[in-house]
C-alpha cells in the first residue's frame, strides 16, 4: 500500500471514530422530547413553540387543562392552538386532588369537559397528575383504585389516559406498570442518565430554558410513542446541530455547591418559629419556591455551611428545597425579623387580583411576599401572607 493510500485510510478511520465518538457523546444527553406548560408560564406564542421544535427538538406538548373540580387553566386553549400550529403533538394533564373513587370520577368529568371546551383533540393523552398532599396521606391501594376510576372515566371523552407522578411515589404510593406512566426525577447532572426507561416518559428537569421563552419549563424524554400516538411530525427541526448542542447544554447543572463545602447527613424535624423562604438552591440568590409560614413542620435529610449560612435540605416530591439557618446560633433566616403575619385562606373563585385588591396590595407584591409569581396557580384552602 503506498503512502497516499495509507494516509487516506488513516484519515477515513479517524473520521469514522470521531463520528462514532460524537454520536456516543450526544446520545448521553437527556432529550427535550416533550415540554409541559400551564398558566405558570403565561401566554406562549406559536413562534415560541416553533423555536422549541427547531432548536431543541421538542416533539410533543402537554398542556395543563384543569385542577380539582373548580380550576380551569385560562391559557389551555391558546396553548393547544399555538402548539398545534407549530406542528407539535398536543396532550393535556389534570392536577388531581381526589381522595375517593367518587371524587376521581367527578374530577375526570370536569377535566374531560374542560379539555373539550379548550380544544384538546380526541385521541390525545389526558394524564392525571398525582402528587398532591392529599394522595400522600392515602394507601397505595386507595390511590390505585382512584387512579383507575379517573382513567376509565376520562376515556369516555375519547382521550387516552396515563399517570404522572414523582419517582419517589411510583410503585410506592401508587402502581405504575411497565410501558405506562410519566415519571419525574431530577438528577443533579442529567447527562449520562437514563431513568425510568420502563415507562412512557421521564421528566428530567423542572427548570429548562428555551431561547425566546421566559422562565423555566418542565421537560421530558420519551421512551415510547404514547405521547405522540406514533405519528411522525411533518415539520422537522431546521438545524439538527443546534438541537444536539442545546440539549447538551441543558444537561449541565449550573448551580453546583462550592467545592470546599460538604453536605452531611442530618435527618431532623424542625418547627418553624417564623416564616422562612424555601429556595431552589443553597444560596440567598436562589429563587424562592414559597414562603413557609410559622408553625410549619419541616423534615430535612442533609445540611451544609455555605455562603455564611447553615443550610438544610428538604426532600420534596420532585427534587429538594433549601432553607437557611444561622451558622452560629441556628437562627432562621427571617422574612421580617420578629414580624407576625396575617394570613388569608383562598376561596373558590379567588384570584391574585381579587385578594390583592381586597388587602390594598398590588398583585406583584402579594405574590412576591408569598414566594410566588402572579402566574402561579392558587387553590381553595391555600394560605397566603397578606400582612
Amino acid at each position: 500500500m503506498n503512502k497516499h493510500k495509507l494516509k487516506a485510510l488513516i484519515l477515513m478511520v479517524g473520521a469514522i471514530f470521531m463520528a462514532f465518538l460524537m454520536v456516543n457523546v450526544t446520545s448521553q444527553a437527556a432529550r427535550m422530547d416533550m415540554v409541559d406548560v400551564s398558566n405558570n408560564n403565561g401566554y406562549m406564542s406559536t413562534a415560541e413553540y416553533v423555536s422549541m421544535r427547531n432548536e431543541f427538538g421538542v416533539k410533543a406538548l402537554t398542556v395543563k387543562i384543569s385542577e380539582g373540580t373548580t380550576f380551569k387553566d385560562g391559557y389551555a386553549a391558546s396553548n393547544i392552538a399555538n402548539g398545534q400550529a407549530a406542528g407539535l403533538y398536543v396532550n393535556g394533564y389534570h392536577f388531581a386532588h381526589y381522595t375517593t373513587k367518587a371524587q376521581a370520577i367527578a374530577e375526570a368529568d370536569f377535566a374531560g369537559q374542560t379539555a373539550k371546551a379548550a380544544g384538546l383533540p380526541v385521541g390525545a393523552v389526558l394524564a392525571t397528575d398525582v402528587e398532591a398532599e392529599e394522595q400522600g396521606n392515602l394507601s397505595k391501594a386507595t390511590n390505585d383504585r382512584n387512579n383507575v376510576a379517573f382513567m376509565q372515566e376520562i376515556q369516555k371523552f375519547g382521550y387516552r389516559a396515563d399517570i404522572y407522578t414523582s419517582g419517589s411515589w411510583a410503585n410506592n404510593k401508587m402502581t405504575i406498570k411497565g410501558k405506562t406512566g410519566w415519571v419525574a426525577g431530577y438528577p443533579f447532572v442529567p447527562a449520562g442518565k437514563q431513568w425510568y426507561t420502563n415507562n412512557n416518559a421521564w421528566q428530567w428537569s423542572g427548570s429548562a430554558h428555551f431561547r425566546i421563552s421566559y422562565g423555566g419549563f418542565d421537560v421530558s424524554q420519551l421512551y415510547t410513542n404514547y405521547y405522540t400516538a406514533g405519528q411522525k411530525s411533518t415539520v422537522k427541526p431546521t438545524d439538527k446541530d443546534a438541537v444536539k448542542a442545546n440539549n447538551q447544554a441543558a444537561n449541565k447543572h449550573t448551580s453546583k455547591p462550592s467545592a470546599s463545602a460538604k453536605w452531611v447527613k442530618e435527618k431532623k424535624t424542625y418547627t418553624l418559629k417564623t416564616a422562612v423562604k424555601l429556595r431552589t438552591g443553597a444560596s440567598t440568590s436562589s429563587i424562592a419556591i414559597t414562603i413557609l409560614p410559622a408553625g410549619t413542620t419541616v423534615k430535612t435529610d442533609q445540611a451544609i455551611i455555605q455562603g455564611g449560612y447553615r443550610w438544610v435540605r428538604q426532600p420534596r416530591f420532585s427534587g429538594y428545597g433549601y432553607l437557611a439557618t444561622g451558622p452560629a446560633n441556628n437562627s432562621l433566616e427571617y422574612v421580617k425579623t420578629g414580624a407576625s403575619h396575617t394570613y388569608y385562606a383562598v376561596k373558590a373563585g379567588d384570584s391574585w387580583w381579587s385578594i390583592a385588591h381586597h388587602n390594598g396590595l398590588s398583585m406583584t407584591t402579594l405574590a412576591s411576599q408569598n414566594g410566588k409569581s402572579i402566574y402561579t396557580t392558587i387553590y381553595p384552602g391555600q394560605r397566603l401572607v397578606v400582612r
Side-chain angles (χ1 to χ4, degrees):
M1 183 180 293
N2 62 41
K3 291 182 179 180
H4 293 294
K5 288 184 178 180
L6 178 60
K7 184 178 180 180
L9 178 61
I10 292 172
L11 289 173
M12 182 178 72
V13 171
I16 292 172
F17 175 76
M18 288 305 295
F20 170 80
L21 184 62
M22 288 305 293
V23 169
N24 199 41
V25 169
T26 303
S27 68
Q28 298 295 316
R31 301 185 309 271
M32 293 184 175
D33 293 330
M34 182 167 72
V35 62
D36 53 288
V37 296
S38 70
N39 59 309
N40 291 334
N41 303 111
Y43 177 79
M44 297 289 296
S45 67
T46 298
E48 289 179 278
Y49 289 131
V50 168
S51 173
M52 290 178 178
R53 181 201 73 207
N54 285 354
E55 299 175 47
F56 297 85
V58 174
K59 303 171 185 175
L61 179 68
T62 302
V63 175
K64 183 173 183 180
I65 300 295
S66 52
E67 182 172 337
T69 55
T70 57
F71 177 81
K72 299 178 181 180
D73 194 301
Y75 292 96
S78 62
N79 280 326
I80 291 168
N82 294 344
Q84 287 179 312
L88 302 179
Y89 190 90
V90 180
N91 304 289
Y93 74 93
H94 167 83
F95 192 93
H97 288 286
Y98 50 71
T99 57
T100 67
K101 180 178 178 180
Q103 289 173 350
I105 293 172
E107 288 195 26
D109 287 337
F110 178 71
Q113 292 165 11
T114 305
K116 290 278 189 183
L120 187 68
V122 170
V125 177
L126 208 172
T128 177
D129 179 345
V130 187
E131 57 176 318
E133 183 178 356
E134 293 95 326
Q135 288 97 22
N137 297 322
L138 301 178
S139 68
K140 181 179 178 182
T142 301
N143 279 325
D144 284 347
R145 179 201 64 194
N146 296 343
N147 289 342
V148 168
F150 180 97
M151 291 192 292
Q152 288 178 342
E153 190 70 12
I154 210 66
Q155 290 171 15
K156 295 179 181 179
F157 292 86
Y159 298 122
R160 292 177 294 126
D162 203 10
I163 302 172
Y164 168 91
T165 194
S166 68
S168 61
W169 281 31
N171 298 312
N172 178 21
K173 290 291 185 181
M174 67 200 72
T175 301
I176 305 294
K177 296 179 181 178
K179 302 304 179 185
T180 73
W182 172 20
V183 184
Y186 303 159
F188 188 75
V189 178
K193 308 293 192 306
Q194 294 288 318
W195 289 7
Y196 309 112
T197 56
N198 197 40
N199 302 110
N200 285 326
W202 165 38
Q203 186 183 93
W204 55 270
S205 176
S207 56
H209 294 276
F210 296 97
R211 186 176 64 84
I212 66 171
S213 299
Y214 174 77
F217 293 82
D218 298 333
V219 292
S220 302
Q221 177 165 292
L222 301 178
Y223 295 119
T224 71
N225 61 16
Y226 194 68
Y227 281 86
T228 57
Q231 297 181 17
K232 299 292 184 181
S233 176
T234 57
V235 185
K236 304 295 183 183
T238 54
D239 188 344
K240 291 183 178 180
D241 290 335
V243 170
K244 293 176 182 178
N246 287 328
N247 273 275
Q248 284 180 302
N251 276 252
K252 295 177 182 178
H253 202 293
T254 56
S255 57
K256 296 180 180 179
S258 166
S260 61
K262 184 178 180 180
W263 287 96
V264 295
K265 290 184 178 179
E266 186 186 85
K267 291 191 175 181
K268 288 188 176 182
T269 300
Y270 290 88
T271 300
L272 304 184
K273 297 177 181 178
T274 187
V276 181
K277 294 178 181 178
L278 181 69
R279 299 183 184 274
T280 57
S283 168
T284 53
S285 62
S286 295
I287 296 171
I289 300 171
T290 188
I291 297 178
L292 301 176
T296 301
T297 298
V298 177
K299 293 184 178 181
T300 67
D301 68 344
Q302 292 189 3
I304 194 174
I305 301 295
Q306 176 129 302
Y309 287 92
R310 179 180 179 278
W311 293 88
V312 292
R313 189 176 78 171
Q314 177 200 33
R316 293 169 62 80
F317 297 134
S318 300
Y320 298 94
Y322 301 83
L323 302 91
T325 65
N329 57 9
N330 203 33
S331 61
L332 296 170
E333 180 198 23
Y334 294 160
V335 176
K336 285 188 178 179
T337 304
S340 60
H341 295 286
T342 301
Y343 296 93
Y344 174 80
V346 178
K347 300 179 179 62
D350 278 340
S351 65
W352 285 113
W353 182 87
S354 64
I355 298 171
H357 181 72
H358 180 74
N359 288 279
L361 302 169
S362 70
M363 287 194 296
T364 303
T365 298
L366 175 62
S368 177
Q369 69 187 24
N370 283 277
K372 303 180 186 301
S373 79
I374 60 174
Y375 300 113
T376 303
T377 302
I378 55 176
Y379 50 87
Q382 183 177 358
R383 293 208 313 165
L384 297 177
V385 176
V386 293
R387 291 286 186 275

